[in-house]
Amino acid sequence: MVKNAVGVAGGAALLAPVAPPLLHGLAGLAVVGLGIFAAGSLVFKAAEAFQGMENPLKQKGDGPKKH
């Protein structure tokens, strides 16, 4: 029982210096992923909005008559 406790404590002591940078890296990946998701959503919403609009360069009215 004591050997198991010492083994777990020893493993935790070996991982302790590595854990903070690893946690910061994971948090950074989460923030970057959230940013990419937000940017993708914004682009998708903008594309939908532009598809629903009329063409501002197209003339209104009859336009040129075809023969």
Side-chain angles (χ1 to χ4, degrees), residues 43-55:
V43 167
F44 185 72
K45 295 275 185 191
E48 282 183 340
F50 282 123
Q51 286 177 355
M53 289 177 39
E54 291 183 22
N55 187 351

Side-chain angles (χ1 to χ4, degrees), residues 11-60:
L14 288 175
L15 290 177
V18 179
L22 183 65
L23 290 175
H24 284 220
L26 290 175
L29 286 174
V31 169
V32 168
L34 184 61
I36 290 172
F37 175 75
S41 296
L42 185 64
V43 167
F44 185 72
K45 295 275 185 191
E48 282 183 340
F50 282 123
Q51 286 177 355
M53 289 177 39
E54 291 183 22
N55 187 351
L57 301 176
K58 189 176 181 182
Q59 287 184 347
K60 294 183 181 180

